[in-house]
Amino acid sequence: AALISKVDFLCGSAKEILENFILEGFSFDLFFIDADKYNYHLYLDLCLKLARPGSILLADNLFLKGKIFTKKNTPSVKSIALFNETFAHHKRLDSIILPLGDGLGFGVVKN
């Protein structure tokens, strides 16, 4: 599509990159969370700080290959379970978790 000149690739800590975007006053229309599962809740908080009404949040792998339904108490399962609960009931989101692939969260920022 010859769009490579319009893309910036950022490598490093997602937390630090998102925090820098906040400090620089950026905002975004679309977020796709697919990083280390332990920090999904942190990425949600940071993305919401960068979002505006109508922004879309997507989160991948919310079923953890079915582990989320087995009640295992691993750090990743606990973290994703907390994320799913927060994502489903967050006051700033209209959201749903779709049974597509390994579970896809879809949310629209309300305010």
Side-chain angles (χ1 to χ4, degrees):
L3 297 174
I4 194 70
S5 65
K6 296 182 180 195
V7 175
D8 290 325
F9 292 94
L10 305 174
C11 297
S13 163
K15 176 184 177 281
E16 290 176 14
I17 290 169
L18 292 170
E19 287 172 340
N20 285 335
F21 283 153
I22 292 167
L23 290 174
E24 294 172 18
F26 281 87
S27 64
F28 296 95
D29 296 320
L30 177 69
F31 301 87
F32 184 71
I33 301 172
D34 187 16
D36 60 301
K37 306 312 175 219
Y38 188 73
N39 285 312
Y40 263 39
H41 64 284
L42 172 65
Y43 302 138
L44 176 62
D45 290 341
L46 293 171
C47 288
L48 286 171
K49 290 179 182 177
L50 291 161
R52 50 186 165 233
S55 293
I56 305 285
L57 273 86
L58 301 169
D60 203 14
N61 305 118
L62 298 185
F63 295 160
L64 288 178
K65 297 181 182 174
K67 293 177 190 169
I68 198 73
F69 304 111
T70 64
K71 306 283 189 212
K72 289 184 181 177
N73 287 324
T74 66
S76 290
V77 170
K78 286 180 184 178
S79 180
I80 292 297
L82 174 63
F83 175 88
N84 289 348
E85 186 72 21
T86 303
F87 190 77
H89 297 100
H90 200 286
K91 66 182 180 183
R92 287 194 62 205
L93 290 174
D94 281 329
S95 60
I96 188 168
I97 298 174
L98 302 167
L100 298 172
D102 193 25
L104 179 67
F106 179 87
V108 178
V109 177
K110 294 190 283 191
N111 59 32

